[in-house]
Amino acid sequence: MGKTLFEKVWSAHVVKELDGGMDVLYIDRHLIHEVTSPQAFSELEKRGLSLFRKEKMVATPDHNIPTKNQHLPIKEALSRHQVDTLLANCAKHKVELYGLGHPFQGIVHVIGPELGITLPGRTMVCGDSHTSTHGAFGAIAFGIGTSQVAQVMASQCLLQSRPKTMRITVNGGLKPGVLAKDIILYIIAQLTAAGGTGYFIEYAGSTIESLSMEARMTICNMSIEMGARGGMIAPDQSTFDYIEGREFAPKGEAFDKAVAYWKTLHSDQEAIFDKEYTFDADDIEPMITYGTNPGMGIKITKEVPLSLGKGSQESFNKSLAYMGFKPGESLLGKPINHVFIGSCTNSRIEDLRIVADYVKGKRKAANVTAMIVPGSKQVEQQAISEGLDQILSAAGFELREPGCSACLGMNEDKVPAGEYCVSTSNRNFEGRQGPGARTLLASPLVAAVTAIEGKIVDITKHLN
Amino acid sequence: MDKFQKVISTGVPLPNEDIDTDQIIPARFLKATSREGFGDNLFRDWRYHQDNSPKADFVLNNETYKGEILVAGRNFGCGSSREHAAWSLHDYGFRVVVSSFFADIFKGNALNNGLLPVQVTDDFLSGLTSAIVADPKTEITVDLVNQKISYLGLSETFEVNAYKKECLIHGYDDIDFLINLKSEIEAYETSSIVV
Ligand code: SF4
């Protein structure tokens, strides 16, 4: 019987199978950041343990940092303490760290791939649910809790039950104005916010194959928003080309040898998945969310539904009340005062280029505050070297320094209570971008058009 | 980790669906570097107004409902991997969360912290929720050893991974287990094909 991509990578990492369906799974790379690691370091110290394989770890601060004046000490005492704790722990335990100002600093899920740490066939974890991003390279990558961070620190392994497998196939060419973000918002709207729970997803089909690595990362990133443990895409020539020459990627002969192995990482033709879905790219249009979970998405030109097929009406009504929307109404014409372009979903160079390309020679609407936050120092530098910073500032966008920023309402960057924000991030939960903030998830292109128009529009009528 | 065998308690009903980790503990309260004290900010924005005064209509501010068992709606704990969600529920005083569906990472985090996620059928959940609302003194028994939850003579069995069950009953955790596999892990490393 054929094997799925997931099964190939997983079984190559099983150290030991236990009774009762649990495997001891070896972890090739462990990314850490300031928010979910301090208690893990303390746990280790409490037990008198040391790091088992510190050379397989990389650390960077991203969640709880300002995105302005990063060269100055962090103003807020608790945030400063949390970041300092990461620095101290990394110094003490000799973990590779890219601190503020370091040319490799950035959101963990942006720097892993761009530094060549994320490779096909690897297992990767991080104390952050969007670790699923790295699956775009054909890695098994998933988020873990802090107790598990401590487990990996102590043993480079995790006890895991093997998830079920799901394949989502998307075929065909994309319509103008439709980006990877629209594909994944469309899929989540079809499957619901819990539709992937218990599964590891493989994305396949001609549409997926035609996507750049950046776009594939956007798709895998949001797998967790369906409840899936992770998402992955079989590596191909685009993957190898992206990896070649990156800082920590294998070089020369080692690279060729690696590619030969990576080429075996695809689902066999006879492989059987526990669940399969197939979608047609032609059905996908620019999307936006109207509710308080990422499954509550619609085509931007369509109306808010009257109810959700599954789920209670009460929860649905509560969600709409929070958002200030009515069942059955169209979002077109709704004034929007905040636009956030950033987060591990859409803060890579390609995203910045899409925005700059659209806003070039235009000016944001007077009512809009538009923030654009690169995912890493490298993305920031690339944007500057391409002159995107000039284009963006001429259009009235504020280009910040790298970090998670307004994705999660933890650092200084927040959306004010009651305000709407069209955001390229991944979660529209109540208060996610700040207490009372109302988030509408969309692609970088929808965000860019919204910033220029100052309201929600049918973007297909505004394409350059 | 505390040992867990059986909990007999009244329950706190919170029947909302898709309760995500940002509701359980908003990100701005994740700045601490220790595990303690998160219970104060459990369900912060549902529990308090922005001026920190309690919201009278939220169930945790309602003296009528008390207990170690949270009875929540479907798809509890979706969203982030923050273990702070499990810590805050446990720190507040909950030992059990009952729902008809749990998000994966939350479930794992809860089990790693002595907080038992009990997954029941939708029917059982709505029956239990109504019973608590009708009589807040309704006693609920969660018996981990026999994997059974019961109230007012009604009961249902629930699933729990056999290994995790042992861990909970004896109060030990995965680190204890994994560090004893050192030689097998080292043997794996020398044979691995992955670069
Ligand atoms: S950008 Fe947002 S989703 Fe991504 S790691 Fe940071 S906080 Fe998490």
Short mmCIF file of all heavy atoms in Angstrom, two decimals, chain A residues 336-375:
data_model
loop_
_atom_site.label_atom_id
_atom_site.label_comp_id
_atom_site.label_asym_id
_atom_site.label_seq_id
_atom_site.Cartn_x
_atom_site.Cartn_y
_atom_site.Cartn_z
N ILE A 336 -13.85 51.58 6.97
CA ILE A 336 -12.81 50.88 7.73
C ILE A 336 -11.73 51.89 8.09
O ILE A 336 -11.21 52.57 7.21
CB ILE A 336 -12.19 49.74 6.88
CG1 ILE A 336 -13.23 48.71 6.45
CG2 ILE A 336 -11.01 49.08 7.61
CD1 ILE A 336 -13.82 47.86 7.55
N ASN A 337 -11.41 51.98 9.37
CA ASN A 337 -10.42 52.97 9.79
C ASN A 337 -9.02 52.42 10.01
O ASN A 337 -8.07 53.18 10.17
CB ASN A 337 -10.88 53.66 11.08
CG ASN A 337 -12.13 54.48 10.86
OD1 ASN A 337 -12.47 54.82 9.72
ND2 ASN A 337 -12.83 54.80 11.93
N HIS A 338 -8.91 51.09 10.10
CA HIS A 338 -7.59 50.50 10.37
C HIS A 338 -7.28 49.38 9.39
O HIS A 338 -8.14 48.53 9.12
CB HIS A 338 -7.54 49.95 11.80
CG HIS A 338 -7.67 51.01 12.82
ND1 HIS A 338 -6.60 51.64 13.41
CD2 HIS A 338 -8.79 51.62 13.33
CE1 HIS A 338 -7.03 52.58 14.23
NE2 HIS A 338 -8.36 52.58 14.20
N VAL A 339 -6.06 49.40 8.90
CA VAL A 339 -5.61 48.33 8.02
C VAL A 339 -4.27 47.84 8.57
O VAL A 339 -3.36 48.64 8.82
CB VAL A 339 -5.48 48.81 6.56
CG1 VAL A 339 -4.75 47.77 5.72
CG2 VAL A 339 -6.86 49.10 5.97
N PHE A 340 -4.20 46.54 8.82
CA PHE A 340 -2.95 45.95 9.32
C PHE A 340 -2.44 44.91 8.33
O PHE A 340 -3.14 43.93 8.04
CB PHE A 340 -3.19 45.31 10.69
CG PHE A 340 -2.02 44.48 11.18
CD1 PHE A 340 -0.79 45.07 11.45
CD2 PHE A 340 -2.14 43.11 11.36
CE1 PHE A 340 0.30 44.32 11.89
CE2 PHE A 340 -1.06 42.34 11.79
CZ PHE A 340 0.16 42.94 12.06
N ILE A 341 -1.25 45.15 7.82
CA ILE A 341 -0.63 44.18 6.91
C ILE A 341 0.60 43.65 7.62
O ILE A 341 1.54 44.39 7.90
CB ILE A 341 -0.29 44.84 5.56
CG1 ILE A 341 -1.59 45.31 4.88
CG2 ILE A 341 0.48 43.86 4.66
CD1 ILE A 341 -1.40 46.37 3.84
N GLY A 342 0.55 42.39 7.95
CA GLY A 342 1.65 41.79 8.69
C GLY A 342 1.27 40.42 9.20
O GLY A 342 0.31 39.81 8.71
N SER A 343 1.99 39.91 10.20
CA SER A 343 1.82 38.60 10.85
C SER A 343 2.47 37.49 10.03
O SER A 343 2.76 37.66 8.85
CB SER A 343 0.36 38.26 11.09
OG SER A 343 -0.18 37.55 10.01
N CYS A 344 2.63 36.34 10.67
CA CYS A 344 3.30 35.21 10.02
C CYS A 344 2.48 34.68 8.83
O CYS A 344 2.97 33.86 8.06
CB CYS A 344 3.56 34.10 11.02
SG CYS A 344 2.10 33.53 11.89
N THR A 345 1.24 35.16 8.67
CA THR A 345 0.45 34.74 7.51
C THR A 345 0.84 35.53 6.26
O THR A 345 0.94 34.95 5.17
CB THR A 345 -1.06 34.96 7.78
OG1 THR A 345 -1.34 34.53 9.11
CG2 THR A 345 -1.91 34.19 6.81
N ASN A 346 1.03 36.82 6.40
CA ASN A 346 1.25 37.68 5.22
C ASN A 346 2.21 38.83 5.51
O ASN A 346 1.82 40.00 5.48
CB ASN A 346 -0.08 38.29 4.75
CG ASN A 346 -0.98 37.31 4.02
OD1 ASN A 346 -2.06 37.00 4.49
ND2 ASN A 346 -0.53 36.82 2.88
N SER A 347 3.45 38.53 5.80
CA SER A 347 4.41 39.62 6.05
C SER A 347 5.73 39.35 5.34
O SER A 347 6.76 39.88 5.71
CB SER A 347 4.68 39.75 7.54
OG SER A 347 5.28 38.56 8.01
N ARG A 348 5.67 38.47 4.34
CA ARG A 348 6.89 38.15 3.61
C ARG A 348 7.04 39.12 2.43
O ARG A 348 6.13 39.87 2.11
CB ARG A 348 6.85 36.68 3.17
CG ARG A 348 7.16 35.73 4.32
CD ARG A 348 6.84 34.29 4.00
NE ARG A 348 5.42 34.06 4.12
CZ ARG A 348 4.82 33.61 5.23
NH1 ARG A 348 5.52 33.29 6.29
NH2 ARG A 348 3.52 33.46 5.27
N ILE A 349 8.20 39.05 1.79
CA ILE A 349 8.52 40.06 0.78
C ILE A 349 7.46 40.10 -0.33
O ILE A 349 7.07 41.16 -0.79
CB ILE A 349 9.96 39.87 0.23
CG1 ILE A 349 10.35 41.07 -0.65
CG2 ILE A 349 10.13 38.55 -0.52
CD1 ILE A 349 10.47 42.37 0.08
N GLU A 350 6.97 38.93 -0.69
CA GLU A 350 5.96 38.89 -1.75
C GLU A 350 4.70 39.68 -1.36
O GLU A 350 4.10 40.37 -2.19
CB GLU A 350 5.59 37.43 -2.02
CG GLU A 350 4.71 37.22 -3.21
CD GLU A 350 4.43 35.74 -3.43
OE1 GLU A 350 5.24 35.09 -4.11
OE2 GLU A 350 3.41 35.25 -2.92
N ASP A 351 4.34 39.58 -0.08
CA ASP A 351 3.16 40.30 0.40
C ASP A 351 3.40 41.81 0.32
O ASP A 351 2.52 42.58 -0.09
CB ASP A 351 2.84 39.90 1.85
CG ASP A 351 2.61 38.41 2.00
OD1 ASP A 351 1.80 37.87 1.22
OD2 ASP A 351 3.25 37.78 2.85
N LEU A 352 4.59 42.22 0.74
CA LEU A 352 4.91 43.66 0.70
C LEU A 352 4.93 44.16 -0.75
O LEU A 352 4.49 45.28 -1.04
CB LEU A 352 6.25 43.93 1.39
CG LEU A 352 6.15 44.21 2.91
CD1 LEU A 352 5.56 43.04 3.65
CD2 LEU A 352 7.49 44.59 3.50
N ARG A 353 5.43 43.31 -1.63
CA ARG A 353 5.47 43.71 -3.05
C ARG A 353 4.05 43.88 -3.60
O ARG A 353 3.77 44.82 -4.35
CB ARG A 353 6.21 42.65 -3.89
CG ARG A 353 7.71 42.68 -3.70
CD ARG A 353 8.36 41.68 -4.66
NE ARG A 353 9.76 41.48 -4.32
CZ ARG A 353 10.35 40.28 -4.24
NH1 ARG A 353 9.66 39.17 -4.48
NH2 ARG A 353 11.62 40.19 -3.93
N ILE A 354 3.17 42.96 -3.23
CA ILE A 354 1.78 43.04 -3.72
C ILE A 354 1.15 44.36 -3.28
O ILE A 354 0.50 45.05 -4.07
CB ILE A 354 0.96 41.83 -3.20
CG1 ILE A 354 1.39 40.55 -3.93
CG2 ILE A 354 -0.55 42.07 -3.34
CD1 ILE A 354 0.90 39.27 -3.29
N VAL A 355 1.37 44.70 -2.01
CA VAL A 355 0.79 45.94 -1.49
C VAL A 355 1.41 47.15 -2.18
O VAL A 355 0.71 48.04 -2.67
CB VAL A 355 0.99 46.02 0.05
CG1 VAL A 355 0.51 47.36 0.58
CG2 VAL A 355 0.25 44.87 0.74
N ALA A 356 2.75 47.16 -2.25
CA ALA A 356 3.44 48.32 -2.85
C ALA A 356 3.02 48.47 -4.31
O ALA A 356 2.78 49.59 -4.78
CB ALA A 356 4.95 48.14 -2.74
N ASP A 357 2.92 47.36 -5.00
CA ASP A 357 2.55 47.41 -6.40
C ASP A 357 1.16 48.05 -6.58
O ASP A 357 0.94 48.85 -7.48
CB ASP A 357 2.56 45.98 -6.96
CG ASP A 357 2.27 45.96 -8.44
OD1 ASP A 357 2.97 46.70 -9.16
OD2 ASP A 357 1.34 45.24 -8.87
N TYR A 358 0.25 47.71 -5.67
CA TYR A 358 -1.10 48.27 -5.80
C TYR A 358 -1.15 49.75 -5.40
O TYR A 358 -1.83 50.56 -6.06
CB TYR A 358 -2.12 47.48 -4.97
CG TYR A 358 -3.50 48.06 -5.13
CD1 TYR A 358 -4.23 47.80 -6.29
CD2 TYR A 358 -4.03 48.95 -4.20
CE1 TYR A 358 -5.46 48.39 -6.51
CE2 TYR A 358 -5.27 49.54 -4.41
CZ TYR A 358 -5.98 49.26 -5.56
OH TYR A 358 -7.19 49.85 -5.78
N VAL A 359 -0.44 50.12 -4.32
CA VAL A 359 -0.63 51.49 -3.80
C VAL A 359 0.29 52.51 -4.47
O VAL A 359 0.17 53.72 -4.22
CB VAL A 359 -0.43 51.56 -2.26
CG1 VAL A 359 -1.37 50.59 -1.56
CG2 VAL A 359 1.01 51.32 -1.85
N LYS A 360 1.17 52.03 -5.31
CA LYS A 360 2.12 52.94 -5.98
C LYS A 360 1.37 54.08 -6.67
O LYS A 360 0.45 53.84 -7.46
CB LYS A 360 2.93 52.16 -6.99
CG LYS A 360 4.12 52.92 -7.53
CD LYS A 360 4.99 52.05 -8.39
CE LYS A 360 6.21 52.86 -8.80
NZ LYS A 360 7.21 52.08 -9.47
N GLY A 361 1.74 55.30 -6.33
CA GLY A 361 1.11 56.46 -6.95
C GLY A 361 -0.28 56.77 -6.41
O GLY A 361 -0.94 57.68 -6.89
N LYS A 362 -0.74 56.00 -5.41
CA LYS A 362 -2.05 56.29 -4.81
C LYS A 362 -1.82 56.79 -3.39
O LYS A 362 -0.70 56.80 -2.89
CB LYS A 362 -2.92 55.03 -4.76
CG LYS A 362 -3.22 54.39 -6.11
CD LYS A 362 -4.24 53.26 -5.92
CE LYS A 362 -4.60 52.58 -7.23
NZ LYS A 362 -3.62 51.59 -7.69
N ARG A 363 -2.90 57.17 -2.75
CA ARG A 363 -2.81 57.70 -1.39
C ARG A 363 -3.92 57.06 -0.56
O ARG A 363 -5.06 56.94 -1.02
CB ARG A 363 -3.00 59.21 -1.46
CG ARG A 363 -2.91 59.95 -0.17
CD ARG A 363 -1.49 60.18 0.29
NE ARG A 363 -1.48 60.53 1.71
CZ ARG A 363 -0.42 60.48 2.49
NH1 ARG A 363 0.74 60.08 2.02
NH2 ARG A 363 -0.50 60.82 3.77
N LYS A 364 -3.60 56.66 0.63
CA LYS A 364 -4.61 56.04 1.50
C LYS A 364 -5.73 57.03 1.79
O LYS A 364 -5.51 58.25 1.77
CB LYS A 364 -3.98 55.55 2.80
CG LYS A 364 -3.61 56.68 3.74
CD LYS A 364 -3.25 56.16 5.11
CE LYS A 364 -2.90 57.31 6.05
NZ LYS A 364 -4.01 58.19 6.40
N ALA A 365 -6.91 56.51 2.09
CA ALA A 365 -8.04 57.38 2.44
C ALA A 365 -7.74 58.09 3.76
O ALA A 365 -7.01 57.55 4.61
CB ALA A 365 -9.31 56.54 2.58
N ALA A 366 -8.31 59.26 3.93
CA ALA A 366 -7.99 60.10 5.09
C ALA A 366 -8.37 59.42 6.41
O ALA A 366 -7.71 59.62 7.44
CB ALA A 366 -8.69 61.44 4.97
N ASN A 367 -9.44 58.63 6.40
CA ASN A 367 -9.90 58.01 7.65
C ASN A 367 -9.06 56.83 8.10
O ASN A 367 -9.23 56.31 9.20
CB ASN A 367 -11.36 57.56 7.49
CG ASN A 367 -11.55 56.54 6.37
OD1 ASN A 367 -11.07 56.74 5.26
ND2 ASN A 367 -12.23 55.45 6.68
N VAL A 368 -8.14 56.36 7.25
CA VAL A 368 -7.46 55.08 7.52
C VAL A 368 -6.09 55.26 8.16
O VAL A 368 -5.31 56.11 7.76
CB VAL A 368 -7.31 54.29 6.20
CG1 VAL A 368 -6.41 53.07 6.39
CG2 VAL A 368 -8.66 53.87 5.66
N THR A 369 -5.83 54.43 9.18
CA THR A 369 -4.48 54.26 9.69
C THR A 369 -3.97 52.95 9.11
O THR A 369 -4.56 51.89 9.37
CB THR A 369 -4.49 54.13 11.23
OG1 THR A 369 -5.19 55.24 11.76
CG2 THR A 369 -3.08 54.09 11.80
N ALA A 370 -2.93 53.01 8.31
CA ALA A 370 -2.45 51.80 7.64
C ALA A 370 -1.05 51.45 8.13
O ALA A 370 -0.12 52.23 7.99
CB ALA A 370 -2.45 52.00 6.13
N MET A 371 -0.95 50.26 8.71
CA MET A 371 0.31 49.82 9.26
C MET A 371 0.80 48.61 8.49
O MET A 371 0.02 47.70 8.23
CB MET A 371 0.06 49.42 10.71
CG MET A 371 1.22 49.71 11.62
SD MET A 371 1.17 48.66 13.04
CE MET A 371 0.00 49.37 14.03
N ILE A 372 2.05 48.60 8.12
CA ILE A 372 2.59 47.45 7.41
C ILE A 372 3.86 47.01 8.15
O ILE A 372 4.76 47.81 8.37
CB ILE A 372 2.78 47.74 5.91
CG1 ILE A 372 3.28 46.52 5.15
CG2 ILE A 372 3.63 48.94 5.64
CD1 ILE A 372 2.98 46.57 3.65
N VAL A 373 3.85 45.77 8.59
CA VAL A 373 4.91 45.29 9.48
C VAL A 373 5.60 44.08 8.87
O VAL A 373 5.02 42.99 8.79
CB VAL A 373 4.32 44.92 10.87
CG1 VAL A 373 5.45 44.61 11.84
CG2 VAL A 373 3.46 46.05 11.40
N PRO A 374 6.84 44.26 8.43
CA PRO A 374 7.55 43.14 7.81
C PRO A 374 7.76 42.01 8.81
O PRO A 374 7.90 42.24 10.00
CB PRO A 374 8.89 43.74 7.39
CG PRO A 374 9.05 45.00 8.17
CD PRO A 374 7.67 45.47 8.52
N GLY A 375 7.80 40.78 8.30
CA GLY A 375 7.91 39.61 9.18
C GLY A 375 9.30 39.42 9.75
O GLY A 375 9.47 38.69 10.72
#
